Coordinates of all heavy atoms in Angstrom, one line a residue:
V27 N 4.6 6.7 14.1 CA 5.1 6.1 15.3 C 4.8 4.6 15.3 O 5.7 3.8 15.6 CB 4.6 6.8 16.6 CG1 5.0 6.1 17.8 CG2 5.0 8.2 16.7
A28 N 3.5 4.3 14.9 CA 3.1 2.9 14.8 C 3.8 2.1 13.8 O 4.1 0.9 13.9 CB 1.6 2.9 14.5
Q29 N 4.3 2.8 12.8 CA 5.0 2.2 11.7 C 6.3 1.3 12.1 O 6.7 0.5 11.5 CB 5.3 3.1 10.6 CG 5.7 2.5 9.2 CD 6.9 3.5 8.7 OE1 7.9 3.6 9.3 NE2 6.7 3.9 7.4
V30 N 7.0 1.9 13.2 CA 8.3 1.4 13.6 C 8.1 -0.1 14.0 O 9.0 -0.8 13.7 CB 8.8 2.3 14.7 CG1 10.3 1.7 15.2 CG2 9.1 3.7 14.3
T31 N 7.1 -0.3 14.8 CA 6.9 -1.7 15.2 C 5.8 -2.4 14.3 O 5.6 -3.6 14.4 CB 6.2 -1.7 16.7 OG1 5.1 -0.9 16.8 CG2 7.3 -1.2 17.6
G32 N 5.1 -1.7 13.5 CA 4.0 -2.2 12.8 C 4.4 -2.8 11.4 O 5.5 -2.7 10.9
R33 N 3.4 -3.6 10.8 CA 3.7 -4.3 9.6 C 3.6 -3.2 8.5 O 2.8 -2.5 8.4 CB 2.6 -5.3 9.4 CG 2.7 -6.1 8.1 CD 1.5 -7.2 7.9 NE 1.5 -8.0 9.1 CZ 0.6 -8.9 9.3 NH1 -0.5 -9.0 8.3 NH2 0.5 -9.6 10.4
V34 N 4.6 -3.4 7.4 CA 4.4 -2.6 6.2 C 3.5 -3.4 5.3 O 3.7 -4.4 4.7 CB 5.8 -2.6 5.5 CG1 5.8 -1.9 4.1 CG2 6.8 -1.9 6.4
R35 N 2.2 -2.9 5.2 CA 1.2 -3.4 4.4 C 1.3 -2.9 2.9 O 0.4 -2.4 2.4 CB -0.1 -3.2 5.0 CG -0.2 -3.8 6.4 CD -1.6 -3.4 7.1 NE -1.7 -3.7 8.4 CZ -2.1 -5.0 8.9 NH1 -2.5 -5.9 7.9 NH2 -2.2 -5.3 10.1
W36 N 2.4 -3.4 2.3 CA 2.5 -2.9 0.9 C 1.5 -3.4 -0.1 O 1.0 -2.8 -1.0 CB 4.0 -3.1 0.5 CG 4.3 -2.3 -0.8 CD1 4.5 -2.9 -2.1 CD2 4.3 -1.0 -1.1 NE1 4.6 -2.0 -3.1 CE2 4.5 -0.9 -2.6 CE3 4.1 0.1 -0.3 CZ2 4.5 0.4 -3.1 CZ3 4.2 1.4 -0.9 CH2 4.4 1.6 -2.4
R37 N 1.4 -4.7 0.0 CA 0.4 -5.3 -0.9 C -0.9 -4.8 -0.8 O -1.5 -4.4 -1.8 CB 0.4 -6.9 -0.7 CG -0.6 -7.6 -1.6 CD -0.6 -9.2 -1.1 NE -1.0 -9.3 0.2 CZ -2.3 -9.3 0.7 NH1 -3.3 -9.2 -0.2 NH2 -2.6 -9.5 2.0
E38 N -1.4 -4.6 0.4 CA -2.6 -4.1 0.7 C -2.8 -2.6 0.2 O -3.8 -2.0 -0.2 CB -3.0 -4.2 2.1 CG -3.3 -5.5 2.7 CD -3.4 -5.6 4.2 OE1 -4.5 -5.1 4.6 OE2 -2.5 -6.1 4.9
S39 N -1.6 -1.7 0.4 CA -1.6 -0.4 0.0 C -1.8 -0.3 -1.5 O -2.6 0.6 -2.0 CB -0.3 0.3 0.4 OG -0.2 0.2 1.9
V40 N -1.1 -1.1 -2.3 CA -1.3 -1.1 -3.7 C -2.7 -1.4 -4.2 O -3.2 -0.8 -5.0 CB -0.1 -2.1 -4.4 CG1 -0.4 -2.2 -5.8 CG2 1.2 -1.5 -4.2
L41 N -3.2 -2.5 -3.5 CA -4.5 -2.9 -3.8 C -5.5 -1.7 -3.5 O -6.5 -1.5 -4.1 CB -5.0 -4.2 -3.1 CG -4.3 -5.4 -3.6 CD1 -4.5 -6.6 -2.7 CD2 -4.6 -5.8 -5.1
A42 N -5.2 -1.0 -2.3 CA -6.2 0.1 -2.0 C -6.1 1.2 -3.0 O -7.1 1.8 -3.4 CB -5.9 0.7 -0.5
M43 N -4.9 1.5 -3.4 CA -4.7 2.6 -4.5 C -5.4 2.1 -5.8 O -6.0 3.0 -6.5 CB -3.2 2.8 -4.7 CG -2.6 3.7 -3.6 SD -0.8 4.1 -3.8 CE 0.0 2.7 -3.1
R44 N -5.2 0.9 -6.1 CA -5.9 0.3 -7.4 C -7.4 0.5 -7.3 O -8.1 1.0 -8.2 CB -5.5 -1.1 -7.6 CG -4.0 -1.2 -8.0 CD -3.8 -0.8 -9.5 NE -4.3 -1.8 -10.4 CZ -4.9 -1.4 -11.7 NH1 -4.9 -0.1 -12.1 NH2 -5.3 -2.3 -12.5
A45 N -8.0 0.2 -6.1 CA -9.4 0.3 -5.9 C -9.9 1.7 -5.9 O -11.0 1.9 -6.3 CB -9.8 -0.4 -4.5
D46 N -9.0 2.6 -5.6 CA -9.4 4.0 -5.6 C -9.1 4.6 -7.0 O -9.3 5.9 -7.1 CB -8.6 4.8 -4.5 CG -9.0 4.6 -3.1 OD1 -10.2 3.9 -3.0 OD2 -8.3 4.7 -2.2
G47 N -8.6 3.9 -7.9 CA -8.6 4.3 -9.3 C -7.2 4.5 -9.9 O -7.0 5.1 -10.9
V48 N -6.1 4.3 -9.1 CA -4.8 4.5 -9.5 C -4.5 3.5 -10.6 O -4.6 2.2 -10.3 CB -3.6 4.4 -8.4 CG1 -2.4 4.5 -8.9 CG2 -3.9 5.5 -7.4
G49 N -4.1 3.9 -11.8 CA -3.6 3.0 -12.8 C -2.2 3.1 -13.1 O -1.7 2.0 -13.7
H50 N -1.5 4.0 -12.7 CA 0.0 4.3 -13.0 C 0.8 4.5 -11.8 O 0.5 5.4 -11.0 CB 0.1 5.4 -14.1 CG 1.5 5.5 -14.6 ND1 1.9 6.8 -15.4 CD2 2.7 4.8 -14.5 CE1 3.1 6.6 -15.7 NE2 3.6 5.3 -15.2
F51 N 1.8 3.7 -11.4 CA 2.6 4.0 -10.4 C 4.1 4.3 -10.9 O 4.7 3.6 -11.6 CB 2.8 2.6 -9.5 CG 1.5 2.2 -8.9 CD1 0.5 1.4 -9.6 CD2 1.1 2.5 -7.6 CE1 -0.7 1.0 -9.1 CE2 0.0 2.0 -7.0 CZ -1.0 1.4 -7.8
V52 N 4.6 5.4 -10.4 CA 5.8 5.9 -10.7 C 6.7 5.9 -9.5 O 6.6 6.5 -8.5 CB 5.7 7.5 -11.3 CG1 7.1 7.8 -11.7 CG2 4.7 7.5 -12.3

């Protein structure tokens, strides 16, 4: 629901996944 008006934090999402150990994005 919040996403409709909220910011798409894609850059931060990718950095968060990287920090959690993701090396491969498909």
Side-chain angles (χ1 to χ4, degrees):
V27 176
Q29 191 221 58
V30 179
T31 56
R33 181 182 305 173
V34 176
R35 299 178 183 271
W36 185 251
R37 178 184 59 84
E38 294 174 68
S39 296
V40 172
L41 291 175
M43 286 184 272
R44 289 289 282 149
D46 289 344
V48 173
H50 188 193
F51 294 83
V52 182

